Amino acid sequence: MYRFKSPSHSHDSVCLVGLDLEPNEKPAKRENPHKYLLYKPTFSQLYTFLSASFKELPANSVLLVYLSATGVFPATHLDFEGPYDFGGVLTNTNRDVVNGETVQKRNQAQKEMHCLHPGDLFPFTRKPLFIIVDSSNSTAYKNFTNLFGQPLVCLLSPTVYPKSVQDQSQRGSLFTLFLYSPLLAFSSICGLNSVRRGLWERAQEFLQKVFRDIGQMITRSRSIDQAFLQFFGDEFLRLLLIRFVFCSAALRLHKLFRVSHSLNEVG
């Protein structure tokens, strides 16, 4: 009997990973990519590590940026909305501290300085970029502008969840759970807390067939963005893309998610 437990997952965190995009070369043993895992970084800390990751990125590689943080929403809507007017994600919830004293905002109209806006990532689109946003304001990254023509993909989480489907970010986000353990996440939204071992193994085998079908649909599609096919050369990114498609399909077919309009998207 398998009893389900969500993996440990920290909200308000950022992960930066550099991955190779060389589908024609398969080394006997894949090298462990260089990773940065940041917990509640300030904007300056995050930008420092983003710059370092960008600098260290070899040729024919992609920078994976995974954002899991609270959403920051715009206070007002303007006639013209640019990449800094949709809000973003809050990387650090603490107020600025100067000489041991907390600095408050003088003007409530000022934007949150520790908010990572879509525009903050534009300079890093000079190289292939793969972004995952797990946040209540993930849609801020929906219209991410590709300024340099490099491969670019944004996978966006649902912004809200039905009340009956618990998404407790302190234990683990449902969206991240789909990317980490799809069958566990699928069982969760179906209200299953445990499954017999034999049934679990058969379900895993069936899910692998589903993943193969999804992979074939992506590679054979004539209308799909070429960025997806370019990222398919990396086995880890390929797995994330396939699991994302499965997640999207599962949520779109789930009646509770259809009613609440809480669906994930691709930017």
Side-chain angles (χ1 to χ4, degrees):
M1 182 79 72
Y2 279 104
R3 295 190 180 279
F4 302 146
K5 181 180 179 182
S6 298
S8 176
H9 168 65
S10 179
H11 205 50
D12 299 325
S13 62
V14 179
C15 185
L16 311 174
V17 186
L19 298 168
D20 293 331
L21 289 179
E22 296 183 355
N24 296 325
E25 297 181 11
K26 295 183 178 181
K29 184 178 181 180
R30 176 174 178 167
E31 295 183 1
N32 192 24
H34 194 178
K35 298 181 288 290
Y36 294 106
L37 180 60
L38 311 176
Y39 178 64
K40 293 188 175 182
T42 63
F43 177 79
S44 58
Q45 291 171 335
L46 175 56
Y47 227 64
T48 297
F49 282 94
L50 274 170
S51 300
S53 300
F54 183 83
K55 180 181 179 181
E56 296 170 354
L57 201 63
N60 300 319
S61 297
V62 55
L63 179 62
L64 167 62
V65 180
Y66 165 76
L67 303 170
S68 174
T70 303
V72 177
F73 299 89
T76 58
H77 291 281
L78 306 175
D79 294 334
F80 172 78
E81 293 182 323
Y84 291 91
D85 297 319
F86 294 101
V89 298
L90 184 62
T91 61
N92 188 292
T93 56
N94 299 324
R95 293 294 184 183
D96 291 327
V97 178
V98 178
N99 296 326
E101 296 183 359
T102 302
V103 178
Q104 300 290 344
K105 288 183 180 179
R106 295 181 180 179
N107 184 352
Q108 292 299 321
Q110 293 178 357
K111 289 182 171 63
E112 170 62 54
M113 74 168 294
H114 295 302
C115 172
L116 185 71
H117 298 268
D120 294 323
L121 296 177
F122 284 0
F124 305 103
T125 61
R126 288 174 168 84
K127 295 181 181 180
L129 187 62
F130 193 104
I131 307 171
I132 301 174
V133 185
D134 191 350
S135 173
S136 56
N137 191 26
S138 61
T139 52
Y141 294 79
K142 182 178 180 180
N143 299 312
F144 199 99
T145 305
N146 189 348
L147 299 176
F148 297 94
Q150 293 287 342
L152 172 66
V153 163
C154 295
L155 303 185
L156 310 180
S157 73
T159 54
V160 293
Y161 294 85
K163 293 182 179 180
S164 57
V165 178
Q166 296 297 319
D167 180 66
Q168 301 181 13
S169 58
Q170 296 299 324
R171 294 192 308 169
S173 161
L174 177 62
F175 176 66
T176 296
L177 185 59
F178 261 104
L179 299 182
Y180 172 79
S181 179
L183 185 55
L184 185 58
F186 185 80
S187 302
S188 177
I189 63 174
C190 292
L192 299 176
N193 296 320
S194 61
V195 173
R196 290 183 291 104
R197 180 182 295 273
L199 181 58
W200 174 267
E201 293 174 349
R202 290 198 297 273
Q204 286 282 26
E205 293 177 358
F206 180 78
L207 189 58
Q208 292 305 314
K209 295 180 181 178
V210 172
F211 286 171
R212 285 195 292 270
D213 290 342
I214 293 174
Q216 291 178 356
M217 290 174 60
I218 293 176
T219 55
R220 294 176 181 177
S221 173
R222 296 182 179 180
S223 59
I224 195 170
D225 192 306
Q226 288 299 308
F228 292 92
L229 301 180
Q230 289 173 288
F231 288 138
F232 244 56
D234 180 87
E235 58 181 345
F236 181 65
L237 297 182
R238 180 168 63 248
L239 189 61
L240 287 176
L241 286 170
I242 290 175
R243 288 177 174 179
F244 176 84
V245 172
F246 175 74
C247 171
S248 181
L251 299 188
R252 289 178 186 277
L253 294 174
H254 198 291
K255 63 179 182 180
L256 296 178
F257 283 83
R258 287 207 305 269
V259 170
S260 65
H261 304 288
S262 50
L263 301 174
N264 53 346
E265 303 181 60
V266 178

